[in-house]
Amino acid sequence: MSQEDRAGQDDGDELRSLTQIVDRTLRETRRDQVAVADVLDAFGHASFAPLLLVPAIAVVTPLSGIPAFSAFSGILIFLIASQWLVGRDHIWLPQWVSRRHVAGDRLAAAMRRIRPWAQRVDRHTRPRLRFLFHRPFRFLPPLACTLFGAMMPFLELVPFSSSLLGAAVVLLSLSMLTRDGLFALVALVPVGGAGWAIATLII
């Protein structure tokens, strides 16, 4: 399979909705502690879009209040998106990343809180603006996710900026999963919000 095909393919064991991603993550929260490796095994090592969605969803929930959680989520997003961008078949993560964990009950509470919103979003997804998933545009969503993930650790102290970038990654990943280009365009809104927050802090 060509690099281009890998960067634009649907994956994730027939996962096609945000609600399915949330529900599969919820199944993992039966453990006392949920490690990154557990989530990776649950979704599969070739499930780039679903695995991008998990940390991106988490960082827009109250879990982002855990010290350094947003920074770690950004590192995880960067590692997954960059490997998708360069055309790897499977995701590789260093052990210090795969061993990191969060309490199962805290993750479950966060996923349950966001599930109704996921259902609302899913009702509005359908294939649109599909030209965005062909050359020369198809590499832009994973490239944007790579850049946003790299930025998040540096924005740990800027209020709401990591959550805004997380929301952008959610929209971009969902657009790649469902082939709905409208969500990729809507992702520009939280990105603009993050830029405004940074500019306000600096000025």
Side-chain angles (χ1 to χ4, degrees), residues 104-180:
D105 56 348
R106 296 189 73 168
L107 182 58
M111 291 298 109
R112 291 192 187 102
R113 183 169 182 171
I114 206 166
R115 192 178 189 278
W117 294 96
Q119 291 177 309
R120 293 189 186 99
V121 169
D122 287 336
R123 286 197 290 269
H124 297 286
T125 58
R126 63 181 184 273
R128 285 178 288 198
L129 303 176
R130 298 191 69 165
F131 70 91
L132 292 173
F133 305 103
H134 299 280
R135 286 182 181 273
F137 305 106
R138 66 189 308 162
F139 291 107
L140 292 179
L143 175 61
C145 290
T146 300
L147 294 175
F148 297 158
M151 291 168 60
M152 286 169 67
F154 299 100
L155 300 178
E156 181 79 24
L157 300 179
V158 181
F160 306 113
S161 59
S162 292
S163 293
L164 288 168
L165 289 178
V169 174
V170 168
L171 294 172
L172 288 164
S173 302
L174 186 61
S175 76
M176 292 184 283
L177 194 68
T178 63
R179 287 298 184 268
D180 192 339

Side-chain angles (χ1 to χ4, degrees), residues 12 14 20-21 47 51 69 84 108 127 139 168 174 180 188:
E14 300 304 318
Q20 288 176 316
I21 306 298
S47 302
L51 285 167
F69 183 86
W84 194 5
F139 291 107
L174 186 61
D180 192 339
L188 296 175

Side-chain angles (χ1 to χ4, degrees), residues 3 6-7 47-53 55-56 73-88 90-93 138-150 169 172-173 176:
Q3 176 178 327
R6 285 194 294 269
S47 302
F48 287 87
L51 285 167
L52 274 176
L53 277 163
S73 296
I75 292 170
L76 187 54
I77 290 168
F78 170 80
L79 289 171
I80 296 170
S82 61
Q83 290 179 63
W84 194 5
L85 181 64
V86 300
R88 286 182 60 90
H90 293 82
I91 298 166
W92 172 87
L93 296 176
R138 66 189 308 162
F139 291 107
L140 292 179
L143 175 61
C145 290
T146 300
L147 294 175
F148 297 158
V169 174
L172 288 164
S173 302
M176 292 184 283

Side-chain angles (χ1 to χ4, degrees), residues 155 158 195-203:
L155 300 178
V158 181
W196 174 84
I198 296 168
T200 301
L201 184 69
I202 294 174
I203 294 173

